[in-house]
């Protein structure tokens, strides 16, 4: 009830980002990404986990999770109990506090310090940046405006 919110559950997780999709909650942690079953909010259980893959931002669509960390990472989450890393692009640490969004066969990653990166994800196993790899657009969050991406 939005008028009378209640605390129903919590977990032992220190999360960077989360995204709910149907009965799943995708949670990025310091070193892992969790997929939680939230069909019953009073009894949250773990569907699956992928160790060594995390991000500061997560976006999911059509069985894939896109993570922005110091790298851009694509995770196959079509089987929630066995997620696996499908592709990665090493940005040499260029991403800072990233925000990830996908549209068609492109992933957009806004980085607080280095601007907007656009990745061609037609082949998700080998995401490739579109040149130029970043622009002067910045996603400053609480320190300033976040760019809005719009399509007609």
């Amino acid at each position: 009830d939005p008028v009378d919110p209640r605390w129903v559950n919590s977990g032992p997780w220190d999360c960077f980002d989360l995204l709910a999709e149907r009965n799943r909650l995708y949670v990025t942690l310091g070193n892992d990404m969790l997929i939680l079953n939230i069909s019953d909010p009073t009894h949250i259980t773990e569907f699956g986990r992928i160790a060594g893959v995390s991000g500061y931002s997560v976006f999911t669509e059509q069985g894939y999770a896109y993570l922005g960390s110091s790298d851009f990472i694509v995770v196959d989450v079509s089987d929630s109990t066995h997620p696996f890393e499908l592709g990665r692009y090493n940005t040499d640490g260029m991403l800072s506090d990233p925000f990830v969004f996908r549209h068609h066969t492109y992933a957009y990653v806004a980085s607080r310090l280095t601007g907007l990166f656009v990745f061609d994800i037609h082949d998700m196993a080998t995401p490739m940046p579109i040149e130029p790899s970043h622009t002067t657009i910045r996603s400053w969050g609480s320190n300033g405006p976040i760019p809005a991406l719009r399509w007609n």
Side-chain angles (χ1 to χ4, degrees):
D1 181 3
V3 177
D4 184 26
R6 303 181 295 122
W7 182 273
V8 293
N9 201 343
S10 65
W13 311 290
D14 292 326
C15 67
F16 289 110
D17 195 18
L18 51 88
L19 178 82
E21 184 180 64
R22 295 185 305 274
N23 66 336
R24 290 168 176 76
L25 184 66
Y26 298 86
V27 181
T28 59
L29 309 173
N31 294 314
D32 300 342
M33 184 185 79
L34 296 177
I35 303 173
L36 302 175
N37 179 346
I38 57 170
S39 57
D40 177 0
T42 62
H43 184 69
I44 296 173
T45 58
E46 186 175 307
F47 268 132
R49 171 189 301 251
I50 180 167
V53 172
S54 186
Y56 296 105
S57 177
V58 61
F59 181 83
T60 61
E61 190 172 71
Q62 299 176 347
Y64 298 97
Y66 306 92
L67 303 168
S69 64
S70 59
D71 294 334
F72 173 67
I73 304 166
V74 180
V75 177
D76 186 320
V77 294
S78 57
D79 178 355
S80 297
T81 60
H82 297 96
F84 64 92
E85 182 177 324
L86 182 61
R88 178 185 292 250
Y89 185 83
N90 181 342
T91 67
D92 293 323
M94 296 267 308
L95 300 180
S96 173
D97 298 329
F99 175 81
V100 179
F101 181 77
R102 176 190 171 193
H103 184 68
H104 298 298
T105 59
Y106 297 98
Y108 299 85
V109 183
S111 174
R112 184 172 63 87
L113 297 177
T114 52
L116 178 66
F117 290 77
V118 181
F119 292 92
D120 182 338
I121 54 172
H122 183 261
D123 177 3
M124 289 193 223
T126 56
M128 296 301 295
I130 302 296
E131 296 298 332
S133 61
H134 63 282
T135 69
T136 57
I137 296 172
R138 303 284 189 258
S139 63
W140 294 104
S142 62
N143 297 328
I146 295 176
L149 303 174
R150 300 173 194 254
W151 287 270
N152 294 329

